[in-house]
Amino acid sequence: MGVGVDVLTTGPALDSDELADGLVPGPRFNAHVLDLPEARGPSYFWKYHGLAGEVAAGIPARVFIAGDLFTLPLMKRAAHTQDGRLVYDSRELYPHLDSFVGRPFVRRFWSAVERRYIKYADHVFTVNDSIAARMAIAYGIAEPDVLHNVAPRREILRTDTLRNELGISPDTRIALYQGGIRTGRGLPSLVNAARSISEAAFVIVGSGVLSDSLRTSAHGLSNVYFIPHISPDKLLRYTASADLGVHLLEPTCLNHELALPNKIFEYLMVGLPVVASDLPEIRSVVADHDVGITVDPEDTLAVVTAIRRALFDDEDRTRFQANIPRVFEHYNWEHSKARFQSVISKLI
């Protein structure tokens, strides 16, 4: 597109040249790294909005992209200051996040924020059809443009990384979970399945608030292994050494019910069949394309049966793997990239 890009972020210093390499074919790319405010809760957000909003408003951009609901108000103000256009990239059904369950006032607050500011967006993106339809109905807007949460596809060869690192024998099949170790991910069900399928190895990759309690529940199970967080640039090498990807997202909130986690696509990208929750968007990938098995994540017996079948029924596994390329004919980063670039070009 030949445009300059400025990114506002928090955390450690970033290498702008490295981030831009192969991603931004423009003459300029700047990463503005902001210090995290010394606060929590609402105070944190107000302080961050003040800090980030001041920086954003000082950038003479033509298009301002809010990467989530929490930055939408400050990016709207920056766009107004610079007489620019506003894009809202809604990567979740934000007012219905699992962290808002049991917190009705917080949920209503963020619902009100989204309702107020979404009307100023010149274009809205989201991650799947179900969330797009929900947002259109909730706010009386045109359905947001869908950009599926799929990485650019590339050939990734099988590895022995997990077997070599954990000492798992070559003839033992591996069921893998990778992601946050938090509530609502069906991880207790996965540990329970390991008790019933002792001939398989179960590897859990990630970190989170449930890490200690999950390790405690798996104590004494010699076929359950834990690996802390792995950086994204190294992760797929681990993924490619498993035999099955498992993602048992629980419908604890509307955002979970309508979710289509990128972990599903990571498993499929390296050729793994999938056992995943029987939820609408997940079903549209896993069941409709016949690349694995969908299951009620709270039905322990069904989870065990599905994992055992997907690991050891070679006829099913061969069919699942043969069908994987069909998924990426529809869920395709290159198509999403072209739509995104077209929209931004028109706004510029």
Side-chain angles (χ1 to χ4, degrees):
M1 293 173 63
V3 298
V5 175
D6 287 79
V7 172
L8 273 65
T9 184
T10 60
L14 300 173
D15 185 332
S16 293
D17 292 336
E18 182 179 349
L19 285 173
D21 183 29
L23 297 178
V24 183
R28 179 182 56 79
F29 184 95
N30 292 326
H32 304 264
V33 182
L34 308 177
D35 293 329
L36 291 171
E38 294 286 340
R40 298 183 65 183
S43 178
Y44 170 90
F45 283 108
W46 290 123
K47 288 184 178 181
Y48 178 78
H49 275 223
L51 174 64
E54 182 178 355
V55 175
I59 299 172
R62 299 290 300 276
V63 178
F64 291 80
I65 303 176
D68 56 31
L69 172 58
F70 311 117
T71 58
L72 180 58
L74 72 90
M75 295 303 271
K76 181 267 176 186
R77 290 194 293 272
H80 177 76
T81 299
Q82 293 289 346
D83 194 25
R85 311 300 290 275
L86 176 65
V87 172
Y88 176 30
D89 184 11
S90 178
R91 294 176 287 117
E92 309 270 1
L93 193 61
Y94 283 103
H96 299 277
L97 292 172
D98 58 339
S99 58
F100 297 165
V101 172
R103 304 167 67 192
F105 295 109
V106 174
R107 184 175 63 80
R108 285 200 288 269
F109 171 79
W110 286 112
S111 292
V113 170
E114 190 165 55
R115 181 179 300 278
R116 176 180 177 182
Y117 286 96
I118 200 169
K119 65 184 179 182
Y120 295 107
D122 296 285
H123 202 89
V124 181
F125 293 112
T126 193
V127 291
N128 65 50
D129 294 333
S130 294
I131 292 179
R134 174 80 187 191
M135 293 178 70
I137 293 171
Y139 302 124
I141 61 173
E143 281 203 9
D145 206 355
V146 173
L147 304 177
H148 294 117
N149 196 4
V150 183
R153 196 176 186 200
R154 59 190 190 276
E155 184 179 2
I156 299 169
L157 301 178
R158 291 283 299 168
T159 75
D160 290 318
T161 303
L162 288 173
R163 288 181 166 81
N164 292 338
E165 188 166 311
L166 300 174
I168 299 171
S169 68
D171 57 349
T172 298
R173 294 192 174 176
I174 300 173
L176 171 71
Y177 168 85
Q178 57 191 39
I181 313 300
R182 304 195 295 272
T183 58
R185 269 65 178 177
L187 295 170
S189 294
L190 188 61
V191 170
N192 285 332
R195 289 190 173 91
S196 300
I197 313 176
S198 58
E199 66 272 32
F202 288 73
V203 178
I204 297 171
V205 175
S207 59
V209 295
L210 289 185
S211 293
D212 290 342
S213 62
L214 197 66
R215 286 175 181 268
T216 299
S217 69
H219 181 71
L221 293 176
S222 61
N223 64 329
V224 178
Y225 304 83
F226 292 89
I227 298 178
H229 173 77
I230 298 171
S231 62
D233 60 314
K234 298 177 181 177
L235 180 61
L236 289 184
R237 181 160 51 88
Y238 286 79
T239 314
S241 60
D243 299 287
L244 175 70
V246 181
H247 201 85
L248 300 173
L249 192 67
E250 300 170 32
T252 55
C253 62
L254 189 58
N255 186 56
H256 279 193
E257 289 181 32
L258 302 182
L260 182 52
N262 68 331
K263 301 304 177 186
I264 303 291
F265 297 111
E266 289 176 356
Y267 296 147
L268 295 173
M269 189 174 293
V270 302
L272 301 188
V274 173
V275 169
S277 304
D278 189 21
L279 299 172
E281 288 288 335
I282 295 175
R283 187 187 313 123
S284 70
V285 175
V286 177
D288 291 0
H289 290 85
D290 195 22
V291 293
I293 303 168
T294 55
V295 65
D296 180 351
E298 299 174 301
D299 186 336
T300 301
L301 179 59
V303 169
V304 169
T305 301
I307 291 176
R308 187 184 297 278
R309 175 184 158 199
L311 275 175
F312 298 111
D313 188 320
D314 288 336
E315 183 178 342
D316 279 348
R317 287 179 56 80
T318 298
R319 187 180 73 255
F320 295 154
Q321 290 173 318
N323 288 334
I324 287 174
R326 293 195 301 122
V327 171
F328 294 100
E329 292 173 7
H330 177 65
Y331 299 92
N332 183 298
W333 161 244
E334 286 69 29
H335 294 166
S336 293
K337 175 183 176 181
R339 289 200 300 275
F340 177 80
Q341 290 183 329
S342 175
V343 168
I344 300 303
S345 294
K346 290 176 182 176
L347 292 178
I348 290 175

